[in-house]
Amino acid sequence: MKPGRMVMLVLGTLSALLGLGLVAAAAGTGWLNIQQRDEGFFTSSTERFEASSNAITSVGVDIMVGQRLPDVIPSDTAGSILIRGASATAGKDIFIGVAEQQDVARYLDGVRRSEIRELELRPFRVEYRDVPGTRTPARPGAQTFWAASATGAGTQELRWGLRPGSWAIVVMNADATDPIAADLQGGIRSDLLWPLFVGLLIAGLVLLAIGVPLIVAGAMGLGRHGPPPQRPTAGPPAAVPAAGSPYTTSPAGNGAAPPPPPPAAGLFSNVPYPARLTGRLDLALSRWMWLVKWFLAIPHLIVLFFLWFALIVTSIVAWFAILFTARYPRSLFNFNVGVLRWSWRVSFYAFTAIGTDRYPPFTLARTDYPADFDVDYPERLSRGLVLVKSWLLAIPHLLIVGVLAGTTRAWVASDDDWSGYGARYTSGGAFSLIALLTFIAAVILLFTGRYLPSLFDLLLGLNRWVYRVTAYVALMRDEYPPFRLDLGPADPGETLPTNPPKGAP
């Protein structure tokens, strides 16, 4: 691979990922801003606060102590809080006030009060620290130091714009007597969400405008090698060595590879599909090495993270190119096929087949590695199909692939304390079918030293189905993937190459 192009791809991916993160943050910020329009607040549920003292107070709230807001931010837009409450004691009026901590401390000096030390909203739980005292304070509504206050019968509402300083919130009976019991609800809003949304959106779009061209340029450079050579078609079957197996290669991957037995008939047809996956099983597999292959493959997984992100971006670019020109840009096509080929090698080595102990090469090109993947380049593609094939038409196959290679995931709707909306993401731990069969093959290998050829054939067929669908969803072909398991190391109608050309794209 060209180091310069790979650096461009990595830098472009990092820039695009950061840009996507900022755009997602902008979307969330914009949604929050919409929810609080018309002076709305994000509010909690109403809960009961009660204590045997004369007052319930918050722990000091420090807001930019010793600082001030930038001049470009009006002080009344930084944020505001809402406290809505009513007395839970019959015949009592409620008082809610916000004032500087030092003024509250002087007012409640020697007064028995309950400070909120810990507050949880889901499930609701509040803990107080009782401050002893014997003095009965003057009526709170008669004091002049409150920054904002509300008092009276029924439900009272206090709104206060946040200001720098150390503040305290006080809830009392209007006549300052004890005990105090109130049903309270809190809320918050900020007029800074709109400028924050605009800033995040602009920054995200700028980073995307930098990252996407870098990714495309890097991918085109890495894929600019001409069309991949076609595999040899099936000919007269070669003789199978008496001491070997139709699946045997040398551990180095350079031994002769006779053709496999004829493929089984497919469910609907046996016509070769133009996306072809092959894999040759090495008989000299280590019993235990599969236990650490996932760890050895980590460098590949890091590289593949960037390559797969680039594949997604270049597939989107190809979507537009096909829509307007009916052609898939050749360099992007070669790059995307190379990414799938690289992924299959790593998967064959460590995850979904464990068919060889030979470490995969760091290249997009074809090599003599015992696992390979190719897609025939289409001279023209349908402009109409590109609109629907990667999502609508592919749904039946995607459901099957989800069973073959996926695990359970779920979004669970839930109420959120502050907004009334929310969701919770849960993840299931079920094995995919391919992972389960690979694990069974690995356990058999560990205890017997043999890899069951029939199980290997099945795993190759399942992986072949997944990669055909992936090529179709990535817009590489218009031919619909067949609903069939083509078992064995090679696709129907072709033989395994003895020595694929090294360095060929």
Side-chain angles (χ1 to χ4, degrees), residues 344-364:
W344 168 232
R345 289 176 187 148
V346 176
S347 186
F348 182 82
Y349 168 77
F351 301 109
T352 65
I354 57 170
T356 182
D357 291 338
R358 182 182 171 192
Y359 199 70
F362 285 83
T363 179
L364 299 170

Side-chain angles (χ1 to χ4, degrees), residues 52-393:
S52 58
S53 57
N54 295 85
I56 296 176
T57 65
S58 67
V59 177
V61 180
D62 294 331
I63 304 174
M64 301 182 65
V65 178
Q67 305 179 41
R68 60 189 299 270
L69 291 171
D71 293 335
V72 295
I73 301 178
S75 59
D76 58 347
T77 65
S80 55
I81 64 171
L82 164 72
I83 303 175
R84 184 182 294 125
S87 176
T89 304
K92 292 284 186 179
D93 294 348
I94 192 172
F95 173 85
I96 307 171
V98 177
E100 292 190 5
Q101 289 186 44
Q102 56 185 4
D103 293 330
V104 171
R106 282 195 298 267
Y107 170 63
L108 296 178
D109 184 31
V111 176
R112 185 183 179 189
R113 59 189 183 275
S114 300
E115 290 185 353
I116 297 176
R117 307 303 296 178
E118 186 174 348
L119 177 63
E120 294 182 6
L121 297 176
R122 293 187 62 187
F124 176 75
R125 186 175 65 88
V126 60
E127 292 185 4
Y128 301 99
R129 184 178 72 90
D130 289 330
V131 179
T134 58
R135 185 175 67 86
T136 301
R139 287 176 173 267
Q143 310 306 307
T144 60
F145 58 80
W146 301 107
S149 64
T151 184
T155 300
Q156 299 296 309
E157 188 175 280
L158 177 148
R159 297 191 182 196
W160 175 64
L162 298 176
R163 299 290 185 273
S166 297
W167 305 90
I169 301 172
V170 179
V171 179
M172 302 175 63
N173 292 322
D175 58 6
T177 58
D178 60 0
I180 172 68
D183 296 321
L184 301 176
Q185 180 184 41
I188 189 170
R189 66 167 281 114
S190 175
D191 292 331
L192 292 179
L193 291 178
W194 172 250
L196 182 61
F197 160 75
V198 174
L200 290 173
L201 182 62
I202 292 175
L205 293 177
V206 169
L207 287 173
L208 284 174
I210 295 173
V212 170
L214 283 175
I215 291 173
V216 174
M220 292 181 68
L222 292 173
R224 194 175 290 124
H225 301 294
Q230 303 301 312
R231 292 174 177 264
T233 57
V240 178
S245 159
Y247 308 102
T248 304
T249 66
S250 67
N254 294 319
L267 295 179
F268 298 121
S269 71
N270 209 29
V271 177
Y273 191 70
R276 301 178 301 277
L277 179 144
T278 60
R280 303 193 301 274
L281 176 63
D282 287 342
L283 292 186
L285 286 174
S286 167
R287 289 172 178 255
W288 59 267
M289 193 173 178
W290 62 271
L291 294 169
V292 297
K293 283 181 178 178
W294 65 270
F295 178 76
L296 299 177
I298 288 177
H300 279 284
L301 298 180
I302 294 173
V303 177
L304 284 172
F305 170 80
F306 293 98
L307 292 178
W308 268 94
F309 187 84
L311 181 144
I312 294 172
V313 172
T314 53
S315 296
I316 296 173
V317 174
W319 186 91
F320 286 99
I322 296 168
L323 183 63
F324 291 105
T325 69
R327 294 178 63 86
Y328 202 122
R330 179 67 68 92
S331 57
L332 296 184
F333 182 88
N334 291 340
F335 171 80
N336 289 346
V337 172
V339 173
L340 295 179
R341 180 183 297 124
W342 193 327
S343 299
W344 168 232
R345 289 176 187 148
V346 176
S347 186
F348 182 82
Y349 168 77
F351 301 109
T352 65
I354 57 170
T356 182
D357 291 338
R358 182 182 171 192
Y359 199 70
F362 285 83
T363 179
L364 299 170
R366 292 185 63 196
T367 68
D368 60 353
Y369 194 73
D372 198 15
F373 179 75
D374 270 321
V375 183
D376 294 338
Y377 178 75
E379 293 300 330
R380 291 189 66 82
L381 291 168
S382 168
R383 291 187 175 97
L385 281 178
V386 77
L387 298 172
V388 294
K389 67 180 181 181
S390 61
W391 61 279
L392 180 60
L393 299 182

